[in-house]
Structures are given as C-alpha cells and as structure tokens.
C-alpha cells in the first residue's frame, strides 16, 4: 500500500488537510457439512476461510481506500462444487480514490477505481456477505443524497477472479485478478422517501453488455433491466411490506460456444412480502413472501425467457448458499413464510420456509443441474426449511453463528432425467468471525 500512502500525502499537501488513517480487519472461518445432497455427487463438506484487511487514508474531502482479500477452502470432497465463488487467495479486492462534498443540503460522493458496491435492496447489485469471495468492479460510481432522496449512477467492468481451473482452486493457488473490459455494467438507481413513516419507493435501470474475447467465452449478453420497488421498513407493533419487480429484455447467445444462435430476451422477476413485528420481548416478526423469476418455455424457438440474476444476492430471499443453496432467482416460483427473533443487538434468530416450483417446466433447475425439455417431470422442485442463529460474544468484535437447512426433493427433482437417488438433503454449518 506504499503507493496509496504517497498519493494521499500528496493530496494532503495540495489541500492543506491533515491525513488520518482508518484500518479494519476481519477473519471468518466456517465449517459446513452437506449430507445426501440434492445434486449428483453424494455428500459434501468444506472448511472455508475468508480474511479481509482494509485501509482508508482520509485528507479533507479526499479518501484513498484499499482492501485485500484471502479466501480459501480446505477439507472439501473430490466431488465438491468448487468455483471462484469459494476461492480467491491473496488478492486486491478494492483500490480506489473518492471525493466527497456537501452543498445546499446535498452530499455528493464520486468514487473511481476498483471497489465493491451495494445498491437498493441488493437483489440486483451487492457486496457478497455469506459467500466466501466477493464481487468487485472497476470503474466510476457517483452518489448524491439529500434528506429524503438518494441517487446512484455507476459504470463499471467486473473483476475476474483467478485462477479459475479446478486443480488450482483445490490447491488454493494464487493468481492476480483482472478486469474484464469486454463486459460493462451500467446502473441508475433512485430512492425517495414518502410522507408515510419508513415508506420509500425506488426506480432503477441496469444495462449489461458483454462480448467474447480471446480469453473468455461469454453468452454475448446485451440486457436492459428496468424495475421499481415500494416498501415500508419493519417497526414494533406495525405492518411492513416490500414489493419489487423488474422486466429484462435484449438479446444473448443460446450458449457460450461459437457459433451459437442469438435469441431475443424477455424475462421478469418479482418479490412480494408482508410482515408484522410484535411489540413484545424478542421483537418477533412474521412474514409471508413469494419470489418469482421467469424461465424459458421453448428451447427450440428464437426467444429467451429465463431471467438473469445479474450481480444480486440470494441468501436473504432463498436461504442457505455455499455448498448448499437449492434455490435462486432463475426459473422459480417460491412462496414461503419467515420468523425472525431479536433479543438485542447481540442475539438474533431466523427461520425460513420456502417451497419451490419451476416457472417453466421445460427449463432448467439451475442449482440441481436438471432439465426435462418435454415438461413431463412436472414443476415442483421441493421444500426448503432454513435456520440461522447469530450471537456477538464481544459486540462488533467476535461473533458465533450456526445454521442449517433441510431440503426435501419434490416431483421434478426426483423424476427429471439424470436425477440422483437422494430424497432429503441435510445441511449444517458453524462459523466464527473476528473483527478489529
């Protein structure tokens, strides 16, 4: 980080501001076990470790920031699903410069470089939490905010994590991540507070454009995603709600292979949730919710109906991920109920039940890697019961977390061509996080 320090020192001299340093450190280790998993390949396990080291140097309106990441996996089985979402050893997650100004009650932030980003509900663009690696982007991000509104605009290229070959991942080998400038992602997001307490609406547009390169085969996606959100945040003794939806259109290749037919995209996604928080000890909140993401009905026509989840999170809406994770925002209809309990800032519990149906019976169940193009295996994927308990042993310093899930396979998961013999998958994990 010596270059970062020298750059900030120069900025400090130019502005006459005194520089100060912020440092943070986090290391997190999780052991997970999956028995009789829903994919082909039998049981699985993994010991996952993620360490983050951050440094921010502030001089007046200027900030230079950097963050290192080291993500590793041990004790995984030979048939484990091992990807760059799990392993990214000793690399630069963030390296950016930002400038901040406040005028007439409006705060402006401009960020340039490599960074992570949370936007809105985090269903379309987010910094990963539970996952062992974190998406990073290189480009520009502009935020303007006043008391009752916030506007975000960004234009970035995603950072590709390396190495990406399985044998190198198994050995936790190192290779530097690189920007993929053949792919660009643009976002516009606006949020406004309404007169009703804790109630806001959001409007957004995301544009993704990618092309094949000599190093990376892609689906040549050119996608526009337009949507909105209307929600009221939870409060004791009050009803709350969250309604969000988006339509997606454009074009893409049918596969990553060359040559591949181009198909016209029209897809959609939606989330609806209604909850109530009781004004009693542990602040119990119960909610009913449903997720929808369209699927592709006909593999032989020129249209593509499967929704692309972009860079959003799925754990909050669909339950456990990692070596588990049977449901995601692709070709799915998933109604469910949720219970959350919070004793205080140190202890909270979540229980979530979701049932999953394919939105299109002829499209793929992504996480199960199964498809019946005839549609004769039905739609029902299965029942998913998920739970999580978190406790801060030392507030904001040392946290313990345990959780698990049971996935009972439905008709499609049992009958689709190539389905494994397993019927019930059991997943459990324990995790410890240390922060400084």
């Amino acid at each position: 980080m010596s270059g970062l320090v020298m750059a900030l020192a120069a900025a400090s001299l130019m502005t006459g501001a005194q520089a100060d340093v912020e440092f943070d450190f986090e290391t997190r280790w999780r052991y997970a076990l999956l028995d009789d998993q829903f994919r082909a390949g039998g049981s699985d396990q993994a010991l996952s470790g993620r360490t983050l080291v951050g440094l921010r140097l502030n001089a007046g309106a200027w900030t230079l920031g950097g963050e290192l990441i080291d993500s590793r996996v041990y004790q995984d089985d030979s048939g484990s699903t091992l990807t760059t979402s799990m392993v990214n050893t000793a690399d630069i997650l963030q390296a950016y410069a930002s400038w901040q100004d406040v005028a007439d009650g409006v705060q402006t932030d401009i960020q340039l470089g490599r960074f992570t980003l949370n936007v809105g509900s985090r269903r379309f663009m987010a910094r990963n939490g539970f996952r062992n690696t974190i998406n990073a982007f290189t480009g520009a991000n502009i935020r303007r905010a006043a008391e009752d509104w916030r506007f975000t605009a960004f234009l970035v290229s995603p950072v590709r994590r390396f190495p990406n070959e399985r044998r190198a991942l198994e050995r936790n080998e190192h290779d530097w991540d690189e920007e993929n400038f053949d792919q660009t992602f643009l976002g516009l997001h606006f949020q406004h507070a309404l007169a009703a307490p804790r109630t806001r609406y959001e409007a957004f547009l995301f544009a993704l454009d990618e092309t094949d390169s000599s190093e990376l085969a892609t689906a040549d996606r050119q996608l526009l995603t337009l949507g909105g959100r209307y929600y009221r945040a939870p409060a004791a003794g009050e009803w709350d709600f969250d309604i969000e939806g988006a339509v997606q259109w454009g074009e893409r290749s049918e596969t990553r292979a060359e040559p591949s037919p181009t198909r016209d995209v029209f897809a959609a996604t939606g989330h609806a949730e209604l909850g109530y928080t009781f004004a009693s000890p542990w602040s119990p909140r119960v909610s009913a919710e449903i997720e929808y993401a369209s699927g592709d009905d006909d593999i032989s026509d020129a249209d593509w109906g499967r929704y692309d989840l972009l860079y959003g999170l799925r754990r909050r809406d669909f339950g456990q991920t990692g070596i588990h994770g049977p449901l995601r925002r692709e070709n799915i209809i998933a109604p469910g109920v949720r219970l959350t309990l919070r004793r205080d800032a140190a202890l909270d519990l979540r229980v979530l039940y979701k049932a999953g149906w394919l939105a299109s019976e002829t499209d793929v169940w992504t996480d199960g890697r199964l498809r019946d193009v005839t549609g004769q295996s039905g739609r029902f994927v299965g029942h998913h019961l998920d739970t999580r308990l978190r406790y801060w042993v030392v507030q904001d310093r040392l946290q313990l977390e345990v959780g698990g899930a049971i996935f009972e396979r439905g008709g499609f998961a049992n009958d689709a061509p190539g389905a494994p013999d397993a019927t019930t998958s059991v997943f459990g994990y324990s995790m410890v996080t240390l922060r400084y």
Side-chain angles (χ1 to χ4, degrees):
M1 296 266 185
S2 59
L4 196 64
V5 175
M6 293 176 63
L8 185 68
S12 177
L13 289 173
M14 288 188 295
T15 62
Q18 183 177 358
D20 65 87
V21 179
E22 298 179 25
F23 172 83
D24 53 67
F25 170 86
E26 174 185 295
T27 186
R28 186 191 74 182
W29 291 86
R30 176 174 69 235
Y31 176 72
L33 181 65
L34 178 58
D35 182 56
D36 207 10
Q37 68 164 302
F38 56 88
R39 309 177 187 95
S43 299
D44 199 4
Q45 64 175 340
L47 175 62
S48 306
R50 187 182 76 184
T51 300
L52 301 170
V53 180
L55 178 67
R56 288 172 301 281
L57 306 176
N58 306 304
W62 293 91
T63 296
L64 294 180
E67 187 176 20
L68 304 179
I69 185 170
D70 186 81
S71 298
R72 300 170 182 265
V73 173
Y74 301 96
Q75 304 298 321
D76 52 307
D77 293 336
S78 59
S80 291
T81 301
L82 193 62
T83 69
T84 59
S85 68
M86 302 175 182
V87 176
N88 189 25
T89 56
D91 222 305
I92 300 172
L93 181 63
Q94 299 194 86
Y96 63 85
S98 66
W99 175 82
Q100 183 181 102
D101 179 63
V102 179
D104 299 325
V106 178
Q107 178 174 313
T108 301
D109 294 270
I110 300 176
Q111 187 178 33
L112 301 173
R114 180 185 290 187
F115 47 80
T116 62
L117 190 59
N118 285 316
V119 178
S121 67
R122 305 171 71 206
R123 294 187 178 102
F124 302 87
M125 177 69 154
R127 176 182 169 114
N128 309 90
F130 188 78
R131 203 178 79 178
N132 210 42
T133 64
I134 299 172
N135 288 333
F137 303 85
T138 296
N141 176 39
I142 300 173
R143 289 166 290 187
R144 288 175 57 83
E147 183 178 356
D148 60 351
W149 61 268
R150 178 184 298 270
F151 174 72
T152 300
F154 61 84
L155 178 62
V156 296
S157 291
V159 175
R160 293 180 61 201
R161 291 182 293 274
F162 288 98
N164 52 17
E165 300 84 12
R166 181 177 178 89
R167 188 162 182 80
L169 295 173
E170 289 175 338
R171 297 177 175 180
N172 290 304
E173 294 181 3
H174 171 265
D175 195 0
W176 293 108
D177 296 346
E178 297 178 1
E179 282 71 19
N180 177 18
F181 292 115
D182 293 310
Q183 185 182 72
T184 57
F185 189 46
L186 177 145
L188 303 174
H189 185 278
F190 179 76
Q191 181 188 89
H192 192 274
L194 300 177
R198 309 178 319 284
T199 304
R200 295 175 179 268
Y201 74 85
E202 300 174 357
F204 51 84
L205 173 68
F206 300 109
L208 175 66
D209 181 82
E210 69 180 7
T211 56
D212 282 337
S213 68
S214 58
E215 298 180 350
L216 179 66
T218 72
D220 295 309
R221 294 171 296 172
Q222 286 85 46
L223 301 176
L224 289 175
T225 304
L226 177 66
R229 183 187 182 203
Y230 178 48
Y231 71 99
R232 177 176 295 167
E238 299 282 350
W239 290 94
D240 62 83
F241 57 86
D242 187 354
I243 302 170
E244 185 167 35
V247 293
Q248 190 174 79
W249 70 96
E251 61 181 30
R252 56 161 292 156
S253 298
E254 185 174 307
T255 70
R256 294 174 181 243
E258 291 290 347
S260 179
T262 298
R263 303 180 68 180
D264 295 324
V265 175
F266 186 80
T269 188
H271 166 88
E273 180 177 355
L274 178 65
Y276 184 83
T277 303
F278 293 87
S280 59
W282 289 77
S283 302
R285 177 182 179 269
V286 294
S287 64
E289 54 197 57
I290 186 170
E291 314 299 328
Y292 169 77
S294 60
D296 188 42
D297 289 326
D298 190 346
I299 194 173
S300 63
D301 66 15
D303 298 321
W304 182 275
R306 187 190 312 152
Y307 177 77
D308 190 301
L309 51 76
L310 302 175
Y311 299 99
L313 303 184
R314 61 182 175 123
R315 188 183 184 224
R316 182 194 179 277
D317 291 332
F318 292 98
Q320 306 294 353
T321 56
I323 62 173
H324 189 47
L327 305 177
R328 69 171 61 208
R329 199 173 300 281
E330 289 182 0
N331 189 32
I332 198 71
I333 302 172
V337 292
R338 180 188 305 263
L339 168 67
T340 58
L341 300 171
R342 182 179 296 274
R343 188 190 67 182
D344 49 32
L347 179 65
D348 67 87
L349 170 69
R350 180 192 73 189
V351 180
L352 172 67
Y353 165 75
K354 282 286 174 75
W357 283 263
L358 299 179
S360 169
E361 69 270 26
T362 59
D363 199 8
V364 66
W365 172 31
T366 304
D367 290 289
R369 306 168 188 163
L370 297 175
R371 184 171 193 170
D372 184 352
V373 295
T374 70
Q376 296 180 4
S377 298
R379 295 176 182 264
F380 187 54
V381 174
H383 304 277
H384 191 215
L385 180 64
D386 165 282
T387 186
R388 180 196 69 193
L389 175 67
R390 299 183 298 189
Y391 176 61
W392 284 103
V393 180
V394 180
Q395 190 64 40
D396 299 326
R397 291 287 183 264
L398 178 62
Q399 185 186 60
L400 301 180
E401 179 175 335
V402 294
I406 298 174
F407 180 69
E408 181 74 23
R409 299 167 65 93
F412 174 86
N414 287 321
D415 299 338
D421 294 333
T423 58
T424 303
S425 301
V426 180
F427 170 77
Y429 73 92
S430 58
M431 185 166 72
V432 58
T433 303
L434 175 65
R435 292 179 180 171
Y436 174 79

